[in-house]
Amino acid sequence: MARYTLSALLAVASSTYVAAQSVQFPATPLANKHFAYPSGVPYQADTDTFGRGPQFGYNQCNSTTEGSNSLCQTAFMNHIDDFCLWAPSKPNSTIADTEGEELAWCTKKGRGTRIIPAGALKGVQLIKTQQYWQFAGFIDQTLLNLQSDDFGGELDPHGQDLRGNPIGGLVYSNSLQSSNSTFDQITEWNSFIGGGGFCFTICPDSGTNPGGYCRNTLDRLGCAVNSPNNAQSGTFEVCDGALKDLPGVYTTNGQTITYSQPDESLGPITTLPFTVTTPSSSNCITYQSSEIYTDLPQPTGSASLTSSGASPTGSNGAKSSGSAASRSASSSRAAVCASVEQGRTDAMV
Ligand SMILES: *[C@@H]1O[C@H](CO)[C@@H](O)[C@H](O)[C@H]1NC(C)=O
Ligand SMILES: *[C@@H]1O[C@H](CO)[C@@H](O)[C@H](O)[C@H]1NC(C)=O
Ligand SMILES: *[C@@H]1O[C@H](CO)[C@@H](O)[C@H](O)[C@H]1NC(C)=O
């Protein structure tokens, strides 16, 4: 059994999967709601009136909603030049405090969302596989309204009450079609943002195991376990990738075991009974950010004032008790937050 020491950072703060005591569930979980884009998209995907909520924003987004006041919660994951991240509505927020309310911040104008400010994306890697597409990279998260030292957490269409985080958040992609004007709803996806990085994986319904590749119950383990990647600060690239192992699924003594994370009350997760490998990638195409991100506005005053705090490499280890120690303790690049090897820095949140 391969055991290795994990950085305390694996305890990525998130309340996405809080032990449910008396949670009331919706008649139809968010992940089971299907809406054709754009004609079938309702004003709000979540109309429940109990428990959390109501839905913070809306799903019908148009030219009048676009920009810095948008409350659009419909995200698009199309290509390296055309994708969105979930982030808070107000500056200096944390994911833990706002997970139910995140908004779509996107690289392209035209769909009624907020637009990611220039300078926020520090490096992005898109890995394309037959089963999922994985976007990962480094960000100046203060430009996306996150506190500079927020470790963030997981967003996914399930959440503690199956209403999603954000509640009612919808994801679409045109990447599965030959035409960029046809969008498929992505019902299984997960996204981690915080610690100076992000990963956002979409697992189309056409795959063999969308819920397995976009597993939503390892929210304390971040990108390192859920979306192992070798994104690099300063590099914008699209690659074909080999399939990752199903997150948390491993074989020992001929037996296949599905790992479950311990409850947060049991303290930080310091070891895992399996090793995470970053799958190989090939056919990488590199882009200049200036040529692919042509719609990004300059950051607004308040955001730029706070923008000095986060750096893609510097903030990863923050709060997590010195990543240097955990770096040397681990032989697996993907297991640590920011292992710098041969000039390559792994994105991990
Ligand atoms: C634009 O979207 C907003 C928010 O969903 C909605 O209230 C408004 O009616 C829409 N406007 C048009 C012209 O469709
Ligand atoms: C951000 O929030 C933290 C915690 O609430 C606070 O200490 C800090 O002063 C705030 N920073 C800014 C720039 O508002
Ligand atoms: C679709 O979008 C991608 C990237 O956004 C672009 O490279 C491609 O040329 C577009 N295809 C068509 C047919 O417009």
Side-chain angles (χ1 to χ4, degrees):
M1 183 179 308
R3 276 188 182 273
Y4 56 85
T5 309
L6 289 168
S7 146
L9 183 133
L10 283 180
V12 169
S14 168
S15 44
T16 303
Y17 236 73
V18 183
Q21 274 125 24
S22 56
V23 175
Q24 195 178 345
F25 296 99
T28 308
L30 179 63
N32 294 354
K33 293 181 179 178
H34 300 276
F35 307 109
Y37 182 87
S39 60
V41 176
Y43 174 65
Q44 290 179 319
D46 185 295
T47 51
D48 288 312
T49 52
F50 53 80
R52 297 192 304 155
Q55 182 172 346
F56 184 74
Y58 39 76
N59 301 103
Q60 271 175 10
C61 314
N62 52 47
S63 56
T64 59
T65 67
E66 185 159 296
S68 55
N69 293 321
S70 179
L71 301 182
C72 181
Q73 293 179 303
T74 302
F76 301 86
M77 301 303 288
N78 297 329
H79 207 262
I80 192 170
D81 65 344
D82 186 3
F83 69 96
C84 307
L85 297 175
W86 295 117
S89 64
K90 294 182 202 68
N92 205 28
S93 300
T94 67
I95 293 295
D97 287 346
T98 62
E99 61 177 6
E101 306 178 355
E102 311 308 352
L103 304 173
W105 294 66
C106 307
T107 62
K108 279 262 189 272
K109 290 180 185 168
R111 302 196 192 99
T113 66
R114 293 196 183 201
I115 309 299
I116 293 174
L121 297 174
K122 302 290 193 186
V124 178
Q125 180 188 59
L126 167 58
I127 295 288
K128 303 196 282 186
T129 78
Q130 295 296 316
Q131 298 289 334
Y132 57 87
W133 279 25
Q134 171 182 289
F135 298 72
F138 294 87
I139 49 173
D140 177 345
Q141 64 190 35
T142 63
L143 296 177
L144 295 166
N145 283 348
L146 284 168
Q147 287 178 11
S148 58
D149 61 354
D150 182 30
F151 266 87
E154 182 176 348
L155 292 316
D156 64 60
H158 304 276
Q160 52 274 57
D161 52 9
L162 305 185
R163 293 168 67 187
N165 281 311
I167 296 170
L170 298 179
V171 176
Y172 290 88
S173 181
N174 66 13
S175 64
L176 313 176
Q177 304 286 340
S178 51
S179 154
N180 282 355
S181 55
T182 307
F183 290 81
D184 295 284
Q185 188 180 353
I186 304 294
T187 50
E188 288 294 352
W189 53 269
N190 65 28
S191 174
F192 291 79
I193 183 168
F198 74 90
C199 53
F200 196 137
T201 304
I202 58 171
C203 297
D205 291 347
S206 55
T208 56
N209 189 354
Y213 286 108
C214 281
R215 193 172 167 190
N216 69 299
T217 51
L218 297 177
D219 64 313
R220 300 179 66 198
L221 299 178
C223 295
V225 170
N226 288 282
S227 303
N229 68 84
N230 50 21
Q232 303 170 75
S233 183
T235 298
F236 297 82
E237 63 181 359
V238 179
C239 310
D240 295 328
L243 285 181
K244 64 183 177 184
D245 294 332
L246 289 169
V249 177
Y250 63 100
T251 304
T252 188
N253 297 330
Q255 229 192 330
T256 301
I257 297 179
T258 301
Y259 170 86
S260 299
Q261 68 182 23
D263 191 83
E264 239 166 302
S265 64
L266 299 172
I269 301 172
T270 53
T271 59
L272 286 178
F274 56 93
T275 306
V276 180
T277 347
T278 303
S280 63
S281 49
S282 57
N283 302 326
C284 295
I285 301 171
T286 304
Y287 299 87
Q288 296 300 314
S289 65
S290 57
E291 78 192 21
I292 52 177
Y293 302 124
T294 52
D295 280 355
L296 312 190
Q298 286 308 308
T300 57
S302 63
S304 60
L305 283 179
T306 62
S307 68
S308 56
S311 88
T313 49
S315 59
N316 296 292
K319 238 190 218 167
S320 87
S321 75
S323 39
S326 44
R327 263 174 222 153
S328 52
S330 171
S331 58
S332 167
R333 283 199 321 183
V336 297
C337 174
S339 70
V340 183
E341 289 172 23
Q342 294 148 5
R344 237 173 135 87
T345 307
D346 290 355
M348 186 285 176
V349 277

